[in-house]
Amino acid sequence: MDSHLKEVWLKGEISNFKHHSRGHMYFTIKDDYSRIQAVMFAGNNRNLKFRPENGMNVLLKGEINIYEPQGQYQLYIQQMEPDGIGALYLAYEQLKEKLAAEGLFDPLRKKSIPVYPKHIGVITSPTGAAVRDIITTIRRRFPIVQVTIIPALVQGDQAPKSIVKAIQFANQSPNFDVLIVGRGGGSIEELWSFNEEIVARSIAQSHIPIISAVGHETDFTISDLVADIRAATPTGAAEIAVPSQQELIEKVHHLERSLKRVINDQIVRNKERLNKMKKSYAFRYPEQLIKQKEQQLDKNVDRLGRGIAQLQDQRRSSYTYLQKRLIQQHPDKQVKQLNNHLQQLLTRHHRSFQSIFRDHDKRFGTMIDKLSLLNPLNTMKRGYSISYTDEGKVISSITSVQPGDKMTVKVVDGSLDCQVWGIEEETNNDK
Amino acid sequence: MTNKQEVTFEEAMEKLEEIIEKLEEGEVPLEKAIKYYEQGMELSKVCSEKLTRVEKQMEQIVNEQGEMEPFIIQEEE
């Protein structure tokens, strides 16, 4: 192999670019007059700062060799740089575009910085101007805040990982309420760590608000775009991170003055109101007010009297009415009625009794007459007598006695004690 | 404001501003206003104290073991 082809520099445009899934890159390098197949193995392309694309002009360094299966020359690329614009610039633009598309720069994602932080984490190199600027500015403005340096490498190959580690450390510790991530000014290569994707993503993922402070005013890194707020310089970051104690003291005094003024105003206002009231008619001529009220009282007393009288009248008339109704219902009247009725009944009773009595009297007389007609005494007067056995039984037959029996014969004016001497049965010829 | 320790500076400032706003609206009855005033003055005192309290805060640095140790600014070599 030609030793001249061992280290070849080539300039051309990329076409037919293919990034194989296994990591190798295959493409054609061409210019207006010629072309050659090129391959850049994964081991070499891993550290590319940019992503090769079709149509991109590049500077290549590599070795030309023969790809035997096809029997053609091929360029085995060791290094590749964009031609025209710098590789870093291109990488910057490409990453910016990518992260913007993912929405990592979205203002809505930005966390707000606490107004009065208690503990600030500073992720930067523990040596150098940046850390000093940050600390002195914080101490000058707000000495009561706690500051912790989380050291990180801020340039070189190890820097991105170191910065990411520091951000992760801060997020795992419970103390910090805001982080400053940055470094002082330098070349674009020196600031490059802050354009690395892992640094940008780590800033985006932090749950602690992050103030970025990379380089100078004119340096704008990807970290600045992802951070919750960008400070132009480390000093600027410190100013954003903490309020000015002096200003705060003034603010507190101002608030205190406002407080006093407001309360004073209110007291004055109330005093004025009170004075106004004191000067009011009612306070100046209180007796007038009393007079008026007295008149009103009199009127009211009159009205009250009238009202009561009216009420009494009403009550009285309704009472009389009720009384009348009550009298009508008095039991005396009922008693009289019942008495009358009783008298009537008695009279009727008496009359009927008398008539019944008369009837009976009459009947009695008739019966007496009749009776006297039947009176045996009358018969006896005419010589009849009645004979009784010893036992007092009327003797009406000869069978009632035996000869020798004693008997009594009653005549009209007395009785005779007799004895039966003999019995003579009579034959009844009257029959 | 029963316990000063519990109020953060931020809370105290917010409360103080709130009180002044309320008072400035002018709708607060006098007695309540005076209560607010007293509260406000207390808060103002708390804020001032918190701001001016001489409590030297030392910078610290996280060492390789992840522990805190005092940090002194080194002048550039």
Side-chain angles (χ1 to χ4, degrees), chain A residues 113-115 117 120-122 130-142 145 147 178-181 211-213 229-244:
Chain A
I113 309 295
V115 185
I120 298 173
V122 181
V131 73
R132 194 190 57 223
D133 290 351
I134 290 170
I135 288 174
T136 51
T137 308
I138 288 175
R139 283 290 161 255
R140 174 170 52 78
R141 286 171 62 81
F142 203 60
V145 76
V147 178
V178 65
L179 297 176
I180 296 174
V181 179
I211 303 171
S212 74
I229 191 163
R230 181 233 177 197
T233 59
T235 304
E239 279 167 353
I240 291 169
V242 292
S244 154

Side-chain angles (χ1 to χ4, degrees), chain A residues 59-295:
Chain A
L59 268 175
L60 305 162
K61 182 195 163 202
E63 175 189 8
I64 292 184
N65 219 323
I66 295 169
Y67 180 56
E68 286 171 359
Q70 286 180 9
Q72 55 177 241
Y73 285 106
Q74 191 165 277
L75 177 65
Y76 293 88
I77 301 167
Q78 286 143 10
Q79 275 180 39
M80 179 159 61
E81 296 284 343
D83 189 27
I85 46 170
L88 294 180
Y89 177 77
L90 191 64
Y92 174 89
E93 285 301 321
Q94 283 173 346
L95 181 59
K96 189 168 146 186
E97 200 177 301
K98 182 178 168 187
L99 298 184
E102 284 181 34
L104 256 59
F105 310 147
D106 191 339
L108 293 175
R109 290 187 78 256
K110 310 264 181 213
K111 294 174 280 293
S112 59
I113 309 295
V115 185
Y116 311 108
K118 288 187 210 61
H119 194 168
I120 298 173
V122 181
I123 296 173
T124 190
S125 162
T127 57
V131 73
R132 194 190 57 223
D133 290 351
I134 290 170
I135 288 174
T136 51
T137 308
I138 288 175
R139 283 290 161 255
R140 174 170 52 78
R141 286 171 62 81
F142 203 60
I144 60 178
V145 76
Q146 198 179 342
V147 178
T148 296
I149 312 299
I150 306 160
L153 296 168
V154 292
Q155 66 189 67
D157 290 347
Q158 300 305 307
K161 273 185 189 160
S162 174
I163 296 166
V164 169
K165 216 179 108 193
I167 291 173
Q168 284 167 352
F169 173 85
N171 273 277
Q172 278 155 16
S173 100
N175 304 320
F176 303 103
D177 41 24
V178 65
L179 297 176
I180 296 174
V181 179
R183 54 156 291 148
S187 68
I188 182 163
E189 287 80 9
E190 282 172 334
L191 304 185
W192 194 254
S193 311
F194 295 92
N195 285 323
E196 289 287 351
E197 186 168 351
I198 54 165
V199 174
R201 290 200 182 280
S202 155
I203 289 173
Q205 279 160 15
S206 170
H207 64 254
I208 305 169
I210 289 181
I211 303 171
S212 74
V214 184
H216 298 300
E217 197 89 42
T218 49
D219 302 319
F220 242 104
T221 64
I222 302 286
S223 295
D224 287 326
L225 296 169
V226 183
D228 297 298
I229 191 163
R230 181 233 177 197
T233 59
T235 304
E239 279 167 353
I240 291 169
V242 292
S244 154
Q245 186 185 26
Q246 204 46 49
E247 279 168 24
L248 278 178
I249 290 172
E250 271 162 31
K251 191 179 174 188
V252 171
H253 286 160
H254 172 74
L255 286 176
E256 200 178 304
R257 278 196 302 277
S258 297
L259 190 62
K260 282 179 179 164
R261 177 180 47 75
V262 168
I263 200 77
N264 240 350
D265 285 356
Q266 188 159 2
I267 288 169
V268 167
R269 262 205 317 282
N270 279 303
K271 264 187 185 162
E272 275 167 9
R273 264 179 69 197
L274 185 62
N275 282 335
K276 219 169 163 186
M277 280 190 263
K278 272 186 189 164
K279 283 180 198 152
S280 70
Y281 180 79
F283 275 101
R284 274 191 297 168
Y285 306 104
E287 67 278 2
Q288 202 67 28
L289 209 64
I290 289 173
K291 272 178 196 161
Q292 272 181 18
K293 292 287 168 197
E294 284 213 334
Q295 263 182 9

